[in-house]
Every structure is written in C-alpha cells, then in structure tokens.
Amino acid sequence: MRIANLDGRAAIVLGEEIADVATVSAGRFGPDPMRLFDDWAAFSAFARGVDRGTGPLDESLLGNPVPAPSQVFAIGLNYRSHADEAGMAVPEVPATFTKFPACLAGPNDVIPITGATIDWEVELVVVVADHTEDVAEQDAWSHVAGLAVGQDISDRELQFAAGAQFSLGKSRRGFGPIGPWLVTPDEVTDPDDLALGCSVNGETVQDARTSDLIFSVPRLVAELSGVLPLLPGDVIFTGTPAGVGISRQPARFLSSGDLLESWIEGIGTMRHRCT
Ligand code: ZN
C-alpha cells in the first residue's frame, strides 16, 4: 500500500489514480497526513479495503508524506562503505543526531544552494506506526508504518563548524526531502535488502543496498526505543552509503541548476532541482 500527501491531503495511491482518504472514509481519517498516525492500525486496515479512486495521481502535487513528525532521528556512519570513505571507525552504537523537523520537504521541492559545500546523502527513511518503547529487534518491523526515500542534504561547512554540529548543518530549510510516498513494508519483497542510489545530472553517485546497513532497521528501532519512546509518525533517516560529495577526489558539491534524483527499489524516485 502506498500513502501519499497530495496537495496537503492524505491519499491512497491506486496505480494511476488516488483515493482521497477523507473523502472515501467520510471524514473518519485525514485529510491531514499526520492524522493517520492517530490510529495507524485502524487506518491501514481501512485503507486496504479501498479499491476505488477519487481522482488522477498528479505527481507534481506530491508533498512530504510525513510533514510534521514529533521527532526526526538520523544515523551517521551506518554503511561500512561510507565509514571507510569518511576515514571513520565503525561505531559500536548508532551515531544518532536529529534533523530539525522544520527542514523537511517534499519529493519535488527545490533544494536551496546556500553555500559552496552542499552535499547529497540518499537514505532509506523509516516512519514509526505507533508508540514504540523498549521493543525487541524481532518485533520491530511491526512498529513501522512505512518506508520512503530520503535525502539527508548536508551543509558540510556548517556541519563541521564549532567542532561538529551535525543537527544544524543538516537542517537548513528544505534539506530534509522525503517521498515520493510512504510504502508499507509488506509491499516490498525484502524490506531488509533494497537497492538505493542517487544521481546528479544523470550521473550515478551513490549505488548500494540496505542489506549493507551496519545497524539494520529492526536494530535501529530496538536501540532507539530502548533510549526513549518513539512516537507515531516519527521519522528515522537510516544513514547513507558511500559516494557522498565530500569524500570524492576531488570533492564535489551541489550547484544551482543541478538535478538530484534519488531512488529506492520498490519505493520510488524523488527529483530535486537545486536553486
Ligand atoms: Zn545522513
């Protein structure tokens, strides 16, 4: 099942059509995409029975499917290949920071180029279904509402200023695009092994699989929920593989006019113009 934000309203994607959630549920769910997380289990059970669209899928209207999460977790150095290229040791626990929620954006939004060191990081984004506290790894997938493509856009100069301030350097406005929609984990063949990548102006710069994650999705949910409660609609950026601009020889960053395309197998593609 695919759940989109179409022009600010929650929508179920049915091939080339969408079903507006508030319309087909007679107001029981939606229209605000975040309201679905008031009772994700009831919503998803309802949504699985919806087989009739209310209008066409206009992809130009897609917004962030989780526009206002309470908490946004992001994990650094979570692929061995990326730790190697960064010259950093593989951490023993997830290296966690936040992207402040006001930086989040949709799958078609522009990426503002605010300096000379703006970098890409394609990531699998996990969205939490319900109140999740102290869960075991083997139960973790049942607390995941859906998966999406994310870009952990980073201002490297700001990130490494003042010692290091990952959270601020990765939270400039528009630096957290998520999309193109939420895909429920049952919809993909193996949610622990998805191809992901991104390209700049058509040249592939990252190309990996989520099976190479050091801390898998279930492990992250277990580790984080052992520290504090994960709340319905919370977002986890799970980390990026090798191929970011700062680790290239020579380093390469995004410029105004560039087209950044990001994809994950079984989920979809986001296209961002830099400006
Ligand atoms: Zn990242």
Side-chain angles (χ1 to χ4, degrees), residues 74-77 82 97 99 120-123 151-154 156 166 170 237-240 244:
I75 311 300
L77 301 174
H82 178 54
F97 56 93
K99 289 173 80 74
W120 57 84
E121 292 194 355
V122 67
E123 307 199 2
Q151 263 290 347
D152 177 17
I153 302 291
S154 306
R156 300 301 186 191
F166 279 48
K170 290 162 170 278
F237 281 77
T238 56
T240 202
V244 301

Side-chain angles (χ1 to χ4, degrees), residues 56-271:
L57 169 62
D58 180 349
E59 297 203 15
S60 72
L61 298 179
L62 289 170
N64 177 0
V66 270
S70 301
Q71 308 182 97
V72 179
F73 301 89
I75 311 300
L77 301 174
N78 202 18
Y79 287 82
R80 202 166 299 274
S81 61
H82 178 54
D84 287 348
E85 74 175 356
M88 308 281 278
V90 171
E92 290 178 13
V93 295
T96 309
F97 56 93
T98 191
K99 289 173 80 74
F100 296 109
C103 81
L104 298 180
N108 301 315
D109 292 338
V110 296
I111 293 173
I113 300 302
T114 50
T117 60
I118 310 306
D119 206 346
W120 57 84
E121 292 194 355
V122 67
E123 307 199 2
L124 174 68
V125 160
V126 171
V127 180
V128 175
D130 49 16
H131 187 103
T132 298
E133 199 159 357
D134 277 326
V135 300
E137 211 172 312
Q138 62 266 29
D139 300 326
W141 272 118
S142 67
H143 294 277
V144 173
L147 305 169
V149 186
Q151 263 290 347
D152 177 17
I153 302 291
S154 306
D155 178 337
R156 300 301 186 191
E157 192 178 338
L158 185 58
Q159 177 183 347
F160 294 110
Q165 46 181 3
F166 279 48
S167 298
L168 198 62
K170 290 162 170 278
S171 292
R172 285 195 184 276
R173 55 181 68 76
F175 276 23
I178 296 174
W181 34 57
L182 272 190
V183 175
T184 51
D186 62 291
E187 181 100 2
V188 295
T189 312
D190 180 355
D192 288 303
D193 183 23
L194 301 170
L196 80 168
C198 70
S199 66
V200 180
N201 302 329
E203 179 192 340
T204 298
V205 288
Q206 291 187 283
D207 183 14
R209 303 194 70 85
T210 61
S211 49
D212 293 331
L213 281 166
I214 296 166
F215 299 98
S216 66
V217 170
R219 179 84 188 278
L220 288 175
V221 170
E223 293 266 353
L224 293 170
S225 76
V227 176
L228 77 173
L230 308 184
L231 305 175
D234 276 0
V235 163
I236 306 170
F237 281 77
T238 56
T240 202
V244 301
I246 194 174
S247 296
R248 292 177 170 264
Q249 300 293 341
R252 175 177 170 185
F253 297 106
L254 292 168
S255 305
S256 187
D258 283 347
L259 176 66
L260 176 64
E261 295 178 280
S262 312
W263 59 85
I264 300 181
E265 174 186 15
I267 299 177
T269 300
M270 301 196 295
R271 291 182 183 83

